[in-house]
């Protein structure tokens, strides 16, 4: 581990101080979603559908309501209908008709685990007993799980209101295809004509869960006067507030939401599940209601990302110039429209500078839980398929896969198929770093193979507020509103300390609640260090400006005769040396006398987010008798812009790779013939455990983002994009066969090896 | 739910027999408590047998060992003499769950949970272990391979408790081994489990062999033909191939979330060879 990634450009940025939230997390003092307790709290439990698809004829709660200890029962009748319209909620569109139905089923249950009623009772055992007393009369309907099956004309229709959008003329009949999208650049027919080699392949991937260790949990309390508080584990408490207020028909100001420490989210905690239910139960009883999902509920009823069927065709000249890229992506949305197929389309060929591209995507409903964002939503699926074809091209041309990618790599000025021209980006730098890495040039053992793959993710900015207070003793309190998932508080404190020229330890960063700070969009889109960092810098510069004003007042000289240099406020120009320079701490002491507290606010809609490219190298070893693949060495190379805290950048790289390796090797949803999930737990939904992985090596590439004062790019998501293709490419060399389906689980690999199925 | 923790097997058997509702024996609880919490089971009575001396003791008996049914996996691992005589059994018991689970999980619980994939059961079968069972009508003995009949179904009658297991005396040049196949490296359930116990003579010829298989049929199997294939040989490649074929022939697996019929059958043969080679290596040194 390098002390710094590069030479010391800055005093604090780029170093590795201890994280401010570390001690409490290590000792267990930190409060996660389920750790909050309030006097008099009730236990809330959800009754869930045992069927994948059924019409609800009636719900009878009378017997449950009579059970002593049951304080409230709610069903969909307790929520007002929402119109079907897409409204912007940050970067995403939300249809509250669907959000409402996801929280509590109305006409139909659409997946096994779909909530149909909820109970608040004085104990968990009473709540469970009450659920058993609720009688739901179901008319079981045919269901569909598989994405290709769901697109067939005779498939059971999940939502009868869906008419495929993006098709002219519009279809007359409802289907499971909610949307068709298309991105075109140049002329693919011309491109394929220029090609010496054309490869066409079909891939299948499984839906995978974010696998956060902390289950969804919240506690809600609604007062007799209609004001309410909600503590919840979330990636965005302002967004949770908006969703809850909308579903409950409340003014936003009545609801105050506090985010707990969060035990992983990866996109999956940008959605409300329990929160509106807990609030509705509390509104009926005026007692606090606590709800915690079991692991089984997390798997059955919270969002995975899509499984997909992806077809890719690429043309290439003998010299390795890619002449055309075409893809068709069919993404599972779950039971409501809104799969990440659009970003999937946009990412598919993004690492390359291509003249001719066509990508078509379909958003497809089936009787599964509605998908939720998962780390670079959509990108890993399409890029797995494209990168696997790129690897095959390299093999067929007898070209080094790095050289092939270098020949076609996107650079500053490349026009991406989805529209924009890239600014300074690090794709070439990552490939060069990979080429000279110890791993790429290291030895391989028996039954081992090495693969490489690239990845891309956009990253976003968005609405962000940070509040800085200069305390009386010169220390600083920093309040941000993007929940800290991956070391945000450390990174923001470092940027504040760098700006204010005070020690890192003098800044105390916290995450504020929705009543104490201006609006913040979710922690997502790899935006929190970028956006809250920008807001922090703005707030810090405001404090400096205010402090300079106070000094001018004290010295009785014009404000423009005061400068900020080397962490000191100094008289400048004609007044230079006439007054003793002051530090922020000196101003803090006299704040009361000079005009009151010094508070800096950065309230922005962050612009200028820059994409991050990454390249991963994977070595796998196959047990030829059992087909079991083991990742023996793994390196993540990624452009971070500038790494504020390199340890947390490396942690994100490693975490993304670990999740991607799980996606590649073992993770999948297994349904029975009735559409019931068979592996709703970590025992049989196999995320990697620590001993499954080698120490994941990291190389931080730094191509600064010119639109950020410290050069920050978002880095959290790109790291999950390349692993599936990198592992697939390495498996091809370890096993001798090329495979087109995830996960690469032992039965499949052994079968492929025995069949000698190869491209 | 009533909880009892009697001091004697007789008292425990009486309580279990007297209960009209579902009655369960609690040893380490690593399966039972999970099943209660997830509402798979809701017993009227739980009888904790950990206060009963016999269930919690490892003792030497007739040159062999008697292992209490509720002795934790971690305690077996710390028993140097047992580990030397039966390394395969001890390693099988210590593949169950996590480090934390190994502090509680027991051989008795692993068997009586009634899972065909239980790790320690093939090892007990290969070892020729005999369960000592106490019930309302006294004590009886049953070979471990005869205890489980089908998933969640045991050859125990109402009120009967497995108190301990007897492992016979080991001659010179004898040892055992256990391997399982899981897609991960730990924290998993066997897709196939295989235990082999071997005895060699001074010349290195195999004089006795027992092969136990898990997760390839409705219950853990003693594969007598696989053992026979090794007896009288030097456990060479030909003998191993024959044993592997016998193991594959004995498999009656299902397709499920953990593996396919084809895969389980294949891997049963692979593991039989690999496990036998480890047992052979150990037996040569023992």
């Amino acid at each position: 581990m390098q002390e710094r990634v590069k030479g010391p450009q800055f005093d604090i940025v780029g170093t590795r101080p201890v994280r401010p939230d570390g001690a409490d997390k290590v000792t267990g003092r930190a409060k996660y979603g389920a750790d909050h307790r309030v006097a008099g709290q009730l236990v809330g439990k959800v009754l869930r559908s045992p069927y994948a698809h059924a019409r609800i004829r009636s719900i009878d709660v009378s017997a449950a309501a009579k059970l002593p200890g049951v304080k409230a029962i709610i069903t969909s009748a307790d929520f007002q209908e929402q119109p079907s319209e897409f409204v912007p909620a940050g970067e995403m569109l939300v249809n509250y008709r669907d959000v409402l139905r996801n929280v509590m089923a109305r006409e139909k249950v659409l997946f096994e685990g779909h909530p149909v009623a909820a109970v608040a009772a004085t104990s968990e055992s009473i709540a469970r007993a009450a659920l058993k007393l609720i009688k739901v009369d179901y008319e079981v309907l045919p269901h569909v799980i598989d994405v290709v099956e769901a697109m067939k004309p005779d498939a059971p229709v999940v939502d009868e209101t869906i008419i495929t959008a993006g098709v002219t003329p519009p279809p007359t009949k409802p289907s499971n295809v909610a949307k068709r999208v298309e991105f075109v650049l140049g002329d693919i027919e011309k491109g394929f004509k220029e090609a010496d080699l054309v490869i066409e392949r079909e891939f299948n991937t499984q839906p995978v869960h974010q696998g956060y260790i902390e289950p969804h949990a919240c506690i809600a309390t609604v007062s007799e006067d209609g004001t309410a508080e909600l503590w919840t584990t979330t990636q965005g408490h302002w967004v949770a507030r908006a969703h809850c207020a909308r579903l409950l028909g409340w003014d936003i100001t009545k609801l105050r939401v506090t985010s707990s420490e969060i035990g992983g989210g990866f996109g999956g905690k940008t959605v409300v599940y329990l929160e509106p239910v807990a609030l509705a139960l509390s509104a009926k009883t005026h007692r606090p209601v606590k709800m915690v999902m079991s692991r089984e509920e997390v798997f059955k009823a919270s969002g995975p990302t899509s499984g997909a069927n992806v077809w890719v065709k690429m043309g290439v000249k003998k010299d390795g110039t890619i002449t055309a890229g075409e893809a068709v992506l069919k993404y599972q949305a779950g039971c409501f429209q809104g799969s990440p197929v659009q970003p999937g389309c946009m990412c598919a060929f993004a690492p390359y500078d291509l003249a001719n591209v066509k990508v078509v995507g379909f958003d497809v409903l089936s009787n599964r839980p509605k998908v939720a964002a998962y780390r670079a939503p959509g990108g890993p699926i399409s890029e797995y398929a494209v990168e696997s074809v790129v690897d095959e091209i390299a093999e067929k041309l007898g070209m080094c896969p790095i050289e092939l990618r270098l020949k076609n790599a996107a650079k500053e000025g490349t026009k991406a198929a989805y529209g924009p021209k890239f600014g300074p980006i690090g794709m070439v730098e990552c490939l060069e770093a990979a080429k000279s890495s110890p791993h790429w040039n290291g030895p391989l053992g028996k039954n081992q193979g090495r693969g490489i793959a690239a990845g891309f993710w956009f990253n976003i900015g968005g609405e962000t507020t940070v509040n800085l207070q200069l305390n009386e003793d010169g220390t600083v309190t920093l309040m941000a509103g993007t929940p800290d998932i991956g070391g945000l508080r450390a990174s923001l404190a470092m940027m504040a300390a760098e700006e204010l020229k005070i020690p890192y330890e003098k800044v105390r960063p916290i995450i504020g609640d929705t009543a104490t700070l201006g609006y913040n969009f979710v922690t997502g889109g790899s935006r929190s260090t970028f956006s809250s960092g920008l807001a922090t810098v703005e707030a810090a510069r405001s404090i400096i400006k205010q402090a300079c004003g106070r000094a001018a007042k004290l010295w009785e000289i014009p404000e423009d005769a005061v400068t900020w240099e080397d962490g000191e406020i100094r008289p400048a120009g004609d007044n230079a040396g006439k007054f003793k320079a002051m530090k922020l701490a000196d101003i803090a002491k006299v704040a009361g006398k000079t005009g009151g507290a010094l508070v800096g606010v950065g309230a922005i809609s962050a612009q200028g987010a820059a994409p991050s490219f990454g390249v991963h190298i994977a070595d796998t070893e196959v047990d030829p008798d059992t087909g079991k693949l083991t990742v023996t060495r793994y390196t993540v190379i990624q452009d971070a812009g500038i790494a504020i805290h390199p340890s947390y950048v490396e942690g994100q790289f490693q975490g993304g790779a670990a999740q991607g390796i799980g996606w590649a090797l073992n993770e999948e949803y297994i349904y029975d013939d009735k559409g019931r999930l068979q592996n709703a737990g970590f025992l049989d939904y196999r995320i990697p455990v620590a001993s499954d992985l080698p120490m994941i090596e990291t190389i931080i590439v730094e191509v600064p983002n010119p639109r950020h004062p410290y050069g920050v790019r978002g880095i959290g998501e790109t790291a999950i994009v390349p692993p599936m293709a990198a592992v697939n490419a390495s498996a091809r060399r370890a096993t001798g066969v090329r495979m087109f389906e995830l996960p690469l689980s032992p039965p499949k690999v052994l079968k492929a090896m025995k069949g000698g199925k190869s491209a | 739910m009533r909880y009892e923790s009697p001091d004697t097997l007789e008292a425990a058997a009486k309580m279990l027999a007297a209960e009209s509702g579902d009655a369960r024996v609690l040893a380490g609880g690593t399966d039972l408590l999970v099943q209660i919490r997830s509402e798979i089971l809701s017993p009227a009575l739980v009888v904790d047998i950990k206060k009963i001396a016999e269930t919690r003791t490892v003792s030497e008996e007739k040159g062999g060992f008697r292992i209490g049914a509720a002795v934790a996996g971690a305690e077996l691992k710390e028993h140097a003499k047992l580990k030397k005589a039966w390394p395969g059994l001890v390693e099988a018991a210590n593949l169950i769950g996590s480090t934390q689970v190994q502090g509680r999980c027991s051989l008795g619980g692993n068997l009586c949970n009634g899972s065909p994939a239980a790790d320690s059961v093939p090892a007990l079968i290969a070892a020729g272990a005999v369960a000592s069972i106490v019930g309302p009508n006294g004590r009886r003995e049953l070979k471990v391979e005869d205890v489980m009949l089908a998933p969640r179904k045991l050859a125990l009658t109402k009120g009967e408790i497995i108190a301990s297991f007897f492992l016979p005396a080991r001659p010179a040049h004898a040892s055992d081994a256990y391997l399982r196949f899981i897609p991960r490296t730990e924290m998993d359930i066997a897709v196939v489990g295989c235990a082999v116990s071997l005895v060699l003579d001074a010349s290195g010829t195999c004089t006795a062999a027992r092969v136990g298989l898990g997760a390839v049929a409705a219950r853990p199997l003693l594969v007598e033909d696989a053992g026979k294939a090794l007896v009288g040989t030097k456990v060479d490649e030909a003998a191993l191939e024959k044993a592997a074929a016998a193991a594959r022939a004995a498999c009656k697996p299902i397709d499920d979330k953990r593996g396919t019929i084809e895969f389980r059958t294949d891997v049963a043969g692979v593991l039989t060879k690999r496990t036998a080679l480890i047992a052979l290596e150990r037996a040569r040194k023992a």
Side-chain angles (χ1 to χ4, degrees):
Chain A
M1 191 178 77
Q2 302 153 270
E3 178 58 28
R4 282 167 182 264
V5 178
K6 274 189 191 161
Q9 291 167 270
F10 305 111
D11 295 331
I12 297 167
V13 165
T15 64
R16 299 173 189 262
V18 170
R19 65 196 294 162
D21 49 314
D24 281 0
K25 283 180 173 164
V26 169
T27 57
R29 191 176 284 108
K31 284 199 165 179
Y32 291 86
D35 292 329
H36 285 279
R37 276 175 197 84
V38 181
Q41 73 188 28
L42 302 173
V43 177
K45 286 272 160 205
V46 175
L47 180 69
R48 295 178 184 278
S49 166
Y51 302 111
H53 195 194
R55 194 169 304 283
I56 301 172
R57 288 204 194 100
S58 65
I59 303 175
D60 178 3
V61 300
S62 56
K66 281 183 205 140
L67 188 70
V70 171
K71 299 296 179 187
I73 302 176
I74 59 164
T75 66
S76 63
D78 293 272
F79 293 96
Q80 282 208 334
E81 178 63 294
Q82 298 284 339
S84 177
E85 55 173 339
F86 282 90
V87 291
E91 62 171 342
M92 296 165 293
L93 290 174
V94 167
N95 187 332
Y96 281 110
R97 173 194 175 270
D98 296 345
V99 174
L100 177 70
R101 279 164 177 73
N102 202 32
V103 164
M104 196 63 74
R106 286 180 97 82
E107 306 82 5
K108 295 202 294 184
V109 289
L110 303 172
F111 59 96
E112 185 217 7
H114 200 160
V116 288
V119 168
T122 49
S123 76
E124 170 133 5
S125 55
I126 293 171
R128 283 178 187 279
L131 293 184
K132 292 199 179 112
L133 294 173
I134 297 175
K135 292 186 203 89
V136 185
D137 182 13
Y138 292 106
E139 177 195 346
V140 179
L141 302 170
H143 69 275
V144 62
I145 294 290
D146 180 71
V147 65
V148 175
E149 292 293 318
M151 289 180 77
K152 289 184 177 164
D154 57 346
V157 174
V158 178
D159 183 343
E160 293 83 357
T161 67
I162 295 285
I163 300 287
T164 310
V167 179
T168 29
T172 51
K173 281 201 318 197
S175 74
N176 293 320
V177 182
K179 192 170 70 172
R180 180 189 184 276
V181 291
E182 185 179 295
F183 293 87
V184 178
L185 179 73
D187 176 355
I188 50 161
E189 293 313 321
K190 182 172 153 275
F192 284 122
K193 269 185 208 138
E194 289 165 11
D196 297 312
L197 171 71
V198 174
I199 292 181
E200 195 182 321
R201 291 286 178 198
E202 188 178 340
F203 298 84
N204 284 292
T205 74
Q206 289 286 325
V208 289
H209 197 271
Q210 295 83 354
Y212 30 80
I213 301 304
E214 179 203 30
H216 295 273
C218 69
I219 184 163
T221 179
V222 180
S223 166
E224 284 75 3
D225 67 5
T227 58
E229 292 205 39
L230 173 70
W231 296 266
T232 184
T233 175
T234 177
Q235 288 175 242
H237 31 318
W238 277 265
V239 171
R241 180 182 66 167
H243 291 342
C244 291
R246 171 71 184 249
L247 295 186
L248 293 158
W250 297 349
D251 287 343
I252 278 177
T253 194
K254 296 245 174 168
L255 177 57
R256 180 178 187 180
V257 186
T258 306
S259 63
S260 68
E261 288 290 352
I262 182 167
F266 313 108
K269 286 181 183 157
T270 57
V271 183
V272 291
Y273 297 106
L274 299 176
E275 293 89 344
V277 176
L279 285 163
L281 286 167
S282 182
K284 276 201 163 180
T285 56
H286 298 303
R287 283 179 65 174
V289 175
K290 182 169 174 176
M291 300 186 78
V292 181
M293 277 196 201
S294 68
R295 181 64 57 192
E296 189 183 349
E297 289 178 294
V298 169
F299 273 110
K300 285 188 174 171
S302 74
T305 191
S306 309
N309 172 274
V310 181
W311 172 88
V312 175
K313 181 179 173 185
M314 293 178 80
V316 63
K317 286 187 187 168
K318 277 189 195 124
D319 69 352
T321 307
I322 300 171
T323 57
E326 187 180 3
V328 177
L329 319 179
K330 297 168 185 169
Y331 278 30
Q332 293 164 5
C335 64
F336 299 108
Q337 61 180 309
S339 76
V341 72
Q342 182 147 336
C345 290
M346 292 156 78
C347 286
F349 295 101
Y352 302 108
D353 183 1
L354 304 184
N356 308 300
V357 177
K358 182 178 176 187
V359 188
V360 174
F362 295 96
D363 183 29
V364 185
L365 277 71
S366 61
N367 294 109
R368 296 170 175 266
K370 164 78 171 71
V371 300
Y374 180 18
R375 215 169 186 159
I381 300 164
S382 60
E383 295 186 65
Y384 148 73
V386 169
E387 285 297 283
S388 293
V389 172
V390 171
D391 187 67
E392 194 175 338
I393 290 173
E395 186 185 302
K396 293 239 159 94
L397 293 179
M399 237 179 131
C400 162
I402 293 184
E403 295 302 339
L404 174 64
R405 286 179 171 89
L406 275 170
K407 195 163 183 69
N408 296 284
K411 312 170 198 58
E412 184 168 3
T414 294
K415 184 169 164 46
Y418 68 90
K421 261 194 179 142
F422 289 126
I425 51 170
M427 175 69 179
V428 169
E429 288 79 355
C430 286
L431 286 166
E432 295 289 358
K435 196 160 79 171
S436 57
S437 69
H439 183 173
W440 186 249
N441 298 292
L444 275 170
K446 202 183 161 207
N447 294 323
Q448 292 183 352
R450 179 165 297 152
I452 192 161
F456 156 89
W457 186 248
F458 315 88
N459 303 321
I460 60 167
E463 275 174 279
T464 311
T465 308
V466 167
N467 184 330
L468 279 183
Q469 307 165 39
L470 180 62
N471 299 318
E472 308 91 281
D473 60 356
T475 60
V476 168
T477 304
L478 186 162
M479 190 191 289
T482 41
D484 178 359
I485 300 187
L488 175 73
R489 275 166 289 188
S491 302
L492 296 184
M494 290 169 76
M495 285 186 263
E498 186 79 49
E499 285 289 320
L500 299 171
K501 302 291 172 205
I502 59 175
Y504 166 77
E505 295 75 21
K506 299 290 182 191
V507 182
R508 180 68 190 167
I510 63 162
I511 303 300
D513 66 61
T514 60
T516 52
L517 190 65
Y519 188 88
N520 281 275
F521 183 54
V522 297
T523 291
S526 299
R527 70 174 218 97
S528 69
T529 301
F530 171 76
S531 304
S532 289
L534 271 177
T536 296
V537 169
E538 189 166 310
R541 288 179 184 173
S542 162
I543 293 239
I544 290 164
K545 188 162 186 294
Q546 292 171 50
C548 288
R550 303 294 174 93
K553 211 185 247 182
L554 284 171
W555 294 334
E556 297 176 339
I557 60 174
E559 252 183 68
D560 59 10
V562 173
T563 62
W564 168 258
E565 285 170 359
D566 305 327
E568 287 187 340
I569 299 154
R570 292 173 184 162
D574 293 349
N575 298 302
K578 282 190 188 162
F579 305 99
K580 191 168 174 284
M582 295 180 83
K583 298 207 169 230
L584 282 181
D586 302 322
I587 297 291
K589 271 184 216 146
V590 297
K593 280 193 277 186
T594 56
L598 283 86
V599 177
V601 179
I604 61 170
S605 188
Q607 303 296 316
S612 177
F613 287 83
V615 173
H616 291 201
I617 309 169
D619 290 0
T620 55
E621 179 175 320
V622 69
D623 177 338
D625 298 326
T626 65
K628 181 173 174 173
L629 289 166
T630 304
V631 177
T632 52
R633 191 173 181 184
Y634 201 97
T635 303
V636 178
I637 302 123
Q638 191 183 320
D639 176 16
I642 294 282
I644 302 296
H645 193 308
S647 297
Y648 301 139
V649 172
E650 289 158 358
Q652 290 291 324
F653 287 6
Q654 291 165 327
Q659 287 186 312
I661 291 168
W663 195 337
L665 292 184
N666 280 306
E667 293 181 37
E668 61 182 319
Y669 274 47
I670 303 167
Y671 284 89
D672 70 5
D673 58 1
K674 296 203 164 65
R676 294 176 303 203
L677 187 61
Q678 296 301 291
N679 58 333
F682 281 134
L683 184 58
D684 287 305
Y685 180 88
R686 295 186 171 83
I687 65 170
V689 297
S691 57
D692 291 339
L693 300 171
M695 183 64 191
I696 293 165
E697 298 163 52
T698 56
I699 298 173
I700 302 175
V701 170
E702 293 191 318
V703 178
N705 173 7
R707 308 273 310 267
H708 190 280
Y710 292 102
V712 169
R713 288 174 197 276
I715 50 94
E717 289 167 289
T718 300
I720 201 175
V721 179
M724 286 66 79
V727 170
N728 200 35
S730 71
R732 190 267 175 278
R733 289 169 187 85
T735 62
V737 291
R738 190 173 282 281
M739 289 166 278
F740 305 96
E741 193 180 322
L742 297 179
L744 297 165
S745 55
K748 276 193 228 158
V749 174
L750 186 63
K751 199 169 179 178
M753 287 176 77
K754 280 164 76 181
K757 225 174 18 181
S758 187
Chain B
M1 186 183 87
R2 215 151 44 87
Y3 168 85
E4 299 284 356
S5 54
D7 300 327
T8 66
L9 287 160
E10 291 69 27
K14 220 170 140 185
M15 287 170 188
L16 290 163
E19 174 57 50
S20 60
D22 185 26
R24 297 279 161 173
V25 175
L26 173 69
T30 56
D31 286 306
L32 180 64
L33 296 186
V34 175
Q35 288 162 12
I36 291 174
R37 285 197 171 192
S38 57
E39 299 182 319
I40 294 168
L41 294 176
S42 21
L45 172 68
V46 167
V47 177
D48 186 344
I49 58 166
K50 289 196 290 298
K51 296 224 170 101
I52 302 165
E54 182 181 337
T55 74
R56 295 282 303 122
T57 316
V58 179
S59 53
E60 291 179 53
E61 186 179 311
K62 298 180 202 155
F65 290 92
R66 180 163 296 281
I67 303 174
V71 174
E75 292 170 306
L76 298 178
K77 199 170 160 184
E78 286 171 5
H79 198 294
K81 279 180 98 170
L82 178 73
K83 203 175 158 185
K84 192 157 181 279
W86 298 101
L89 173 63
V90 173
E91 70 200 5
N94 281 276
L95 285 173
I96 302 166
S98 60
T99 302
Q100 291 91 329
V101 167
Q102 281 150 21
R104 303 291 287 183
C105 67
S106 63
L107 296 180
N110 202 215
L111 174 58
C112 293
N113 181 49
S115 162
D119 284 308
S120 68
V121 179
L124 283 167
I125 289 173
V130 175
S132 182
I133 298 164
V134 173
N137 303 317
R139 194 179 278 261
R140 65 175 176 128
E141 294 192 330
L142 194 61
K143 289 177 189 162
V144 169
E145 57 267 32
D146 296 329
V147 172
M148 200 184 139
L149 304 172
R152 313 282 169 209
K153 207 165 163 219
L154 307 178
L156 300 183
T157 57
K158 191 160 176 66
E160 282 194 321
I161 304 162
I162 295 184
S164 58
F165 298 94
F166 177 71
L167 303 182
R170 280 308 237 176
H173 311 305
S175 197
D176 68 341
Y178 176 78
L179 288 177
R180 67 173 182 182
F181 182 84
I182 54 172
R184 286 191 288 216
T185 47
E186 58 177 329
M187 304 288 293
D188 219 326
I189 303 270
V191 178
V192 179
C194 178
V196 176
S197 173
L198 293 178
V199 183
L200 309 178
D201 66 14
S203 75
T205 301
C206 178
T207 57
R210 286 170 68 91
V211 176
L213 282 180
V216 293
R219 58 182 193 145
L221 301 176
L222 171 68
V223 189
E224 287 176 341
D225 288 348
K228 278 184 203 154
L230 301 174
V231 173
T233 75
K234 297 271 184 188
V235 194
D236 51 18
E237 186 54 37
L240 287 167
E241 200 49 66
K242 228 175 129 188
R248 287 191 180 106
C251 293
K252 286 194 191 80
I254 52 167
D255 278 327
D256 73 358
K257 59 193 174 187
R258 293 179 186 138
T260 58
I261 291 169
E262 183 189 352
F263 181 74
R264 285 188 154 117
T265 308
D266 262 355
V267 171
V270 172
L271 290 193
T272 300
K273 286 165 85 171
R274 290 182 181 179
T275 314
L277 282 171
I278 297 169
L280 176 69
E281 198 54 38
R282 285 175 178 168
R284 280 175 179 156
K285 289 177 190 155

